[in-house]
Amino acid sequence: MLRDRIALPPNQIQSHVSSLLAAYAGAQVLFSFPVGIIADRLSARRTPFLLGLLALLAATLMLGLGQSVAVLAFARLSQGLSAAVVWTVGFILVLDTVGPENLGKTIGSIFGFISTGGLMAPVLGGVVYEKAGYGGVFGMSFAILAVDFLLRLLLIEKKVAAQWQPSASSPSSPSSSVEWDNECQHQGEGTVGPSEDAREDDSLLGREEDLSSFKIPEGRYRWAEGVPILYCFQNPRLLIAQLVALIQAVLFAAFDATVPTEAQELFGFNSLNAGLLFIALVLPYLLLGPVAGWAVDRFGTKTVSVVGFGYLVPVLVLLRWVRPGGTTQITLYCVFLALCGVGLGIIGPISIVESSQVVRLYERANPGLFGANGPYAQLYGIGSMVFSLGLTIGPLISGGLKDWIGYGNMNSVVAAFCAVTAFLSYVFIGGKSKALKKI
């Protein structure tokens, strides 16, 4: 597009491509938190969800018709804004709909589809472009947007549906879910859930002691009065949960940035053949996402996080053993990528589930402080910011390391990131571990 339509000289194309990619990621980083603040103050989630799609529709139209770099840059900024709205409002809709007891497996499934779309879209776009040109690519995009718009029109929020069922009990929501209250009391330690006897024996005093560390002192932290969720980030559990999201995005972006170039160097693959390698990476992620989410709901965030990041350490190191060659080496590379896909699937739901549990504890300890709808849209907006930041710096880190120390050593450094994250998860995710409590 930059070469054929805008007629940029070849030596300027790479820099402009990077700038357009950065415009999208930067807009998502900048707008995610403000979108969350606004969404928490709205009674309906469906309206901003539809507005986000309209912004994407307008941005895609500008991208398809733009005749200057400035128009293309504005289109990418609009796409980033739309992504911020969809990501933030979408996750709070998920939480409102499925409730906390099913959040893990639902988020695991969602991240499987997100990874599939993100990694396979360049391949599909390249194939369509080769066969039908720009018209085919944007025609496919508008067709997908039309289906998306129809599905959003059909969306009925749970609290709206409850109005037509006066005899039904109140819908499960972030601010009223008793089940999540019980789950959060166990701090993600891997407890399946409190038994009936445990619930009966659990005194009010014990519950208050559990919440005492989550109480925000009145007047002590005036800097957070306008946006009290910022105070929650003094809790190390919430900070490490965001680190998990950051490393997850860095891993995702690292594969996206280095697999095509490494496949070209090792096997002489063109862009289409290199893109097909992502099937080996994405398929395990897609299949294991719901399983990993179930494991989070069943065993807790700490166990799954430590296992997932710990598993990725040796698997990423294995990538250094792939050599130039024929079918045998290509098969070996696909196997190693599939093993990495398993790890990506395991760590998918951890950040959102852990963050939601921590903020729920703050909401219980400080009734009314976060408003009627709670601070969950703000929380997911911040999560979107962190994830977008990881997608932005991931290619820079992995690409720079690959050029500096080679592909194998680059993956060893990324494996070290995972090892550190596994250790921090053991210490902080889900609350202090039982072993550390004895120290």
Side-chain angles (χ1 to χ4, degrees):
M1 183 184 296
L2 293 173
R3 180 191 61 203
D4 299 337
R5 187 193 303 172
I6 311 299
L8 285 179
N11 62 342
Q12 296 183 21
I13 289 178
Q14 182 60 58
S15 63
H16 280 83
V17 168
S18 300
S19 298
L20 291 175
L21 292 173
Y24 173 85
Q28 194 167 357
V29 169
L30 289 174
F31 290 115
S32 291
F33 187 50
V35 165
I37 294 175
I38 295 172
D40 276 334
R41 286 162 170 74
L42 296 176
S43 58
R45 315 287 193 186
R46 184 170 173 264
T47 300
F49 212 44
L50 289 171
L51 291 176
L53 182 62
L54 291 176
L56 181 59
L57 180 64
T60 304
L61 184 63
M62 282 190 291
L63 200 62
L65 301 177
Q67 299 294 324
S68 69
V69 173
V71 173
L72 298 183
F74 185 77
R76 292 295 287 167
L77 287 170
S78 299
Q79 287 181 325
L81 171 61
S82 171
V85 174
V86 171
W87 183 285
T88 303
V89 180
F91 277 125
I92 192 61
L93 272 171
V94 168
L95 180 59
D96 288 345
T97 302
V98 306
E101 65 277 5
N102 297 309
L103 186 60
K105 56 179 171 283
T106 304
I107 295 299
S109 302
I110 288 172
F111 267 103
F113 286 108
I114 289 174
S115 66
T116 302
L119 293 175
M120 296 306 296
V123 181
L124 184 60
V127 172
V128 173
Y129 175 73
E130 287 184 4
K131 301 297 183 181
Y134 290 121
V137 172
F138 284 100
M140 177 181 64
S141 300
F142 283 115
I144 294 172
L145 287 172
V147 174
D148 193 1
F149 188 77
L150 177 61
L151 292 175
R152 296 192 200 196
L153 285 176
L154 296 175
L155 184 148
I156 301 175
E157 295 185 54
K158 193 170 184 178
K159 60 185 178 181
V160 174
Q163 296 175 3
W164 301 96
Q165 298 175 335
S167 61
S169 59
S170 298
S172 175
S173 69
S175 59
S176 64
S177 176
V178 175
E179 291 83 358
W180 201 358
D181 290 351
N182 292 326
E183 177 184 339
C184 290
Q185 288 172 16
H186 287 255
Q187 309 283 307
E189 276 282 351
T191 306
V192 175
S195 64
E196 292 298 322
D197 292 337
R199 289 180 184 176
E200 291 175 0
D201 295 336
D202 199 13
S203 66
L204 176 62
L205 177 60
R207 289 195 294 269
E208 291 301 325
E209 288 176 350
D210 288 340
L211 293 175
S212 62
S213 60
F214 297 92
K215 182 69 176 176
I216 300 177
E218 293 184 11
R220 184 177 174 186
Y221 295 94
R222 298 188 181 277
W223 55 269
E225 285 183 357
V227 190
I229 194 175
L230 295 178
Y231 175 84
C232 302
F233 279 87
Q234 294 194 84
N235 189 304
R237 286 180 61 184
L238 194 52
L239 289 175
I240 300 304
Q242 300 309 309
L243 175 66
V244 167
L246 180 70
I247 298 300
Q248 180 187 3
V250 168
L251 285 167
F252 185 86
F255 283 113
D256 198 22
T258 60
V259 168
T261 56
E262 187 67 11
Q264 194 279 327
E265 294 172 6
L266 292 176
F267 314 123
F269 278 6
N270 59 27
S271 58
L272 177 58
N273 291 333
L276 293 175
L277 288 174
F278 284 108
I279 295 176
L281 181 68
V282 167
L283 191 59
Y285 195 166
L286 182 62
L287 295 176
L288 287 177
V291 178
W294 169 85
V296 168
D297 293 334
R298 181 73 168 77
F299 301 108
T301 49
K302 181 187 292 293
T303 300
V304 178
S305 185
V306 172
V307 169
F309 282 104
Y311 164 86
L312 279 168
V313 174
V315 171
L316 286 167
V317 174
L318 287 175
L319 291 171
R320 70 184 302 112
W321 300 110
V322 181
R323 297 288 182 266
T327 303
T328 302
Q329 289 296 317
I330 295 172
T331 303
L332 187 65
Y333 194 35
C334 288
V335 170
F336 290 162
L337 288 176
L339 293 174
C340 291
V342 171
L344 291 174
I346 294 174
I347 66 175
I350 295 167
S351 176
I352 290 178
V353 175
E354 176 71 2
S355 299
S356 301
Q357 289 178 356
V358 174
V359 171
R360 173 58 183 160
L361 290 169
Y362 274 106
E363 187 183 19
R364 286 188 60 217
N366 303 274
L369 180 63
F370 299 100
N373 294 324
Y376 297 94
Q378 297 171 56
L379 175 66
Y380 298 147
I382 293 172
S384 174
M385 271 175 39
V386 172
F387 197 83
S388 299
L389 180 62
L391 293 178
T392 303
I393 66 175
L396 301 177
I397 294 174
S398 58
L401 288 174
K402 181 176 180 292
D403 293 338
W404 181 33
I405 58 178
Y407 183 68
N409 291 328
M410 180 273 294
N411 281 298
S412 296
V413 173
V414 176
F417 292 164
C418 292
V420 172
T421 306
F423 172 75
L424 293 174
S425 296
Y426 176 73
V427 176
F428 295 110
I429 290 291
K432 196 172 184 180
S433 67
K434 293 179 180 178
L436 292 176
K437 287 179 181 178
K438 298 177 181 179
I439 299 176

